[in-house]
Every structure is written in C-alpha cells, then in structure tokens.
C-alpha cells in the first residue's frame, strides 16, 4: 500500500497509543500529533478507505491487521536509523529522534534489510525500545522495572521510557545510558529521590521524576 508521509505518521501514532484491543480516541490522537480533532476525523476516513484502520464515529480508532503491519515497518525503519545515527555517526541519543522521523519514510525494504545487517541486526534501539524484525516480530523483552521501584542494589540500565530531549540530555550529562551499571546507595523518603553511584564516578542524587523513567534489571 502506497501511503503518504502524513498517513504513515498517523499510523505510527495510532500504534504508539493503542494498547491491546483498546481504541484510540480522536482527541488523544489529535493531542499526540498536535492537530485538530476534525483533521484526525478526516484522516481516519482516508485510512479506513485504505483498510489501514477500523473506525466508527464516537467509537475510536484501531489498527487493522494491514495497518499494524505497516506501523511495525515504520517503527522498524525509525529504530534502525536511530541505531545507525548513534552507533555509526556518533550522534547522542537525544539528537536522533527527529532525524529518524525523516529517515523512517524511506521505504526501500532492500535498503532497510541491508541497514539491519550492517548494524548486526540489533533487537533494541539506543533508547531500549524493541526493533521489529523484517517480518514484524518483536523480541520478547527481558524482565525489567523502573529504577524507583527496583529492589536490587546493583543494576544495569535497559531502557528509558521518556525520550524527551531534555531528559535524555540530562541523563547524558550524568553519564547514564543503556548498559550503564549503577548501585543504589540510598532511597530518601522525603521526596522519593534516590542516591546512586556509577562506576568510577562520585555518587549523585536523582529525583523520582527522573528515576521512574529509567528502566533497569538486576546485575
């Protein structure tokens, strides 16, 4: 199916917002895409005509099997380009999202498969999100929890759930990235902040607002 850039952006956003079989509301999609609900309604009609979504007025939007397949292809391209930008061109992880937003619309399946092979067929992107394979399958994630809920003392960072530029830049400045090993020194009940120590660095204290977005697993 030949989709426009705008249509691909809608499909990817629906995939991001849809949980299980739950429908995505037009208001939620409008907020995600920073547009008007009326514009979402117009696009929903077009995507329904192309059999990309299921849509009934006042009942929300769901991806069809074909729409989910298309969404996973877009997500695959986006996350592979993020890997390339970080691993091969030395961009930092807070810089790559907007660049990958443009590159994800290059639809050559041959190019994307070659890119994956060149990168060693990675299964996660620089933020810890899973990369669909060429068939749209996602690797089963290993158990992980947010840093603020972790019980173990020694941990490794596995993902970041808030990928805003401001948070990623903050973590980068503190030396925290995927694979970073850390040790919890103390939890502070007053404000739920956590004191942690990274290898070869002094201990630092991070807020609950930050720690709840850092995913970890025990070493």
């Amino acid at each position: 199916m030949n989709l426009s850039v705008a249509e691909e952006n809608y499909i990817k956003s629906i995939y991001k917002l849809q949980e299980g079989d739950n429908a995505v509301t037009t208001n939620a999609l409008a907020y995600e895409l920073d547009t008007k609900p009326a514009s979402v309604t117009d696009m929903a009609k077009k995507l329904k005509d192309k059999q990309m979504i299921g849509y009934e007025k006042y009942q929300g939007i769901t991806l069809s099997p074909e729409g989910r397949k298309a969404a996973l292809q877009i997500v695959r391209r986006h996350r592979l380009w993020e890997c390339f930008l970080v691993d091969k061109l030395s961009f930092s992880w807070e810089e790559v999202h907007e660049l990958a937003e443009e590159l994800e619309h290059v639809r050559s399946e041959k190019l994307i498969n070659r890119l994956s092979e060149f990168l060693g067929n990675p299964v996660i992107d620089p933020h810890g999100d899973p990369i669909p394979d060429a068939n749209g399958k996602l690797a089963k994630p290993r158990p992980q929890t947010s840093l603020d809920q972790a019980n173990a003392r020694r941990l490794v960072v596995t993902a970041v759930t808030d990928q805003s530029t401001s948070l990623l830049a903050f973590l980068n400045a503190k030396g925290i990235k995927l694979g970073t090993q850390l040790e919890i020194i103390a939890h502070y009940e007053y404000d739920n902040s956590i004191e942690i120590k990274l290898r070869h660095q002094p201990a630092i204290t991070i807020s609950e607002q930050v720690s709840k977005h850092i995913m970890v697993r025990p070493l």
Side-chain angles (χ1 to χ4, degrees):
M1 176 66 67
N2 188 23
L3 300 171
S4 69
V5 169
E7 288 170 338
E8 287 193 341
N9 287 336
Y10 268 82
I11 288 170
K12 188 177 74 169
S13 294
I14 295 166
Y15 174 80
K16 177 182 176 181
L17 295 172
Q18 188 175 350
E19 297 181 10
D21 295 325
N22 295 333
V24 176
T25 67
T26 54
N27 285 337
L29 192 52
Y31 181 81
E32 174 70 18
L33 292 163
D34 192 22
T35 190
K36 297 177 181 178
S39 299
V40 172
T41 300
D42 290 342
M43 179 61 80
K45 292 175 182 176
K46 294 178 183 178
L47 292 173
K48 183 179 180 179
D49 288 343
K50 291 188 174 184
Q51 299 183 336
M52 291 287 108
I53 64 169
Y55 170 66
E56 296 296 336
K57 197 172 183 180
Y58 307 122
Q59 294 183 24
I61 302 166
T62 56
L63 288 174
S64 67
E66 196 63 30
R68 178 176 168 79
K69 180 181 177 181
L72 286 165
Q73 290 173 345
I74 300 164
V75 169
R76 171 174 165 80
R77 298 195 298 257
H78 182 100
R79 294 176 180 173
L80 284 172
W81 283 120
E82 287 194 337
C83 288
F84 176 77
L85 292 166
V86 170
D87 296 345
K88 303 302 180 181
L89 298 186
S90 301
F91 282 88
S92 60
W93 64 351
E94 72 267 24
E95 296 178 292
V96 296
H97 179 72
E98 289 187 5
L99 289 168
E101 287 277 286
E102 298 180 30
L103 292 166
E104 71 186 27
H105 300 296
V106 178
R107 300 181 182 91
S108 170
E109 185 176 344
K110 184 176 182 179
L111 171 63
I112 297 306
N113 288 339
R114 289 276 182 91
L115 177 64
S116 182
E117 291 173 7
F118 176 67
L119 294 168
N121 295 312
V123 294
I124 59 170
D125 73 6
H127 310 108
D129 290 326
I131 300 174
D133 68 14
N135 297 314
K137 293 182 180 179
L138 292 163
K140 187 176 181 180
R142 294 177 63 181
Q144 59 183 2
T145 188
S146 57
L147 179 57
D148 65 316
Q149 298 294 319
N151 294 319
R153 183 181 178 89
R154 297 181 66 247
L155 304 156
V156 61
V157 176
T158 56
V160 179
T161 58
D162 177 359
Q163 295 171 17
S164 62
T165 300
S166 55
L167 177 61
L168 294 175
F170 172 82
L171 295 177
N172 200 42
K174 300 299 181 184
I176 299 172
K177 58 184 180 180
L178 291 198
T180 295
Q181 296 181 14
L182 58 88
E183 182 178 359
I184 294 179
I185 304 300
H187 286 265
Y188 296 104
E189 185 178 349
Y190 176 72
D191 61 355
N192 292 322
S193 61
I194 302 176
E195 186 177 4
I196 63 173
K197 187 177 187 316
L198 280 59
R199 188 176 295 178
H200 308 307
Q201 292 187 31
I204 58 173
T205 300
I206 59 174
S207 68
E208 180 185 24
Q209 182 181 2
V210 170
S211 64
K212 70 182 181 181
H213 291 298
I214 300 174
M215 303 303 292
V216 294
R217 65 169 180 264
L219 280 171

